Amino acid sequence: MTNIKDKITGLQHVGIPTQRLQGSIDFYESLGFECIHSVESGADHPTVVFMQLNALMIELYEEPSEAKGA
């Protein structure tokens, strides 16, 4: 029987909701992250930005009604 810990090799990315997307982008850029991909919002989907620092990737997405702060 295979154990789940034998299948997990790392973390692909972390999603972070924000009410102020540009402020969050600026913050993570100040830490050294680089914006590597973005998808503009549509009627039913938020704007999404992927930022990377070395092997760490974060996904920032605009959620005006859900997020608390940047």
Side-chain angles (χ1 to χ4, degrees), residues 13-70:
H13 72 275
V14 175
I16 302 171
T18 180
Q19 290 179 328
R20 299 181 310 254
L21 185 60
Q22 188 58 54
S24 295
I25 292 169
D26 294 343
F27 172 74
Y28 285 101
E29 284 179 337
S30 76
L31 296 177
F33 282 80
E34 177 183 355
C35 180
I36 61 165
H37 183 70
S38 64
V39 178
E40 294 299 318
S41 63
D44 297 327
H45 302 286
T47 298
V48 176
V49 175
F50 288 89
M51 302 191 74
Q52 186 170 12
L53 177 63
N54 300 323
L56 176 59
M57 183 166 323
I58 59 172
E59 171 191 359
L60 299 174
Y61 58 96
E62 209 163 33
E63 281 288 332
S65 62
E66 296 294 325
K68 305 291 184 213

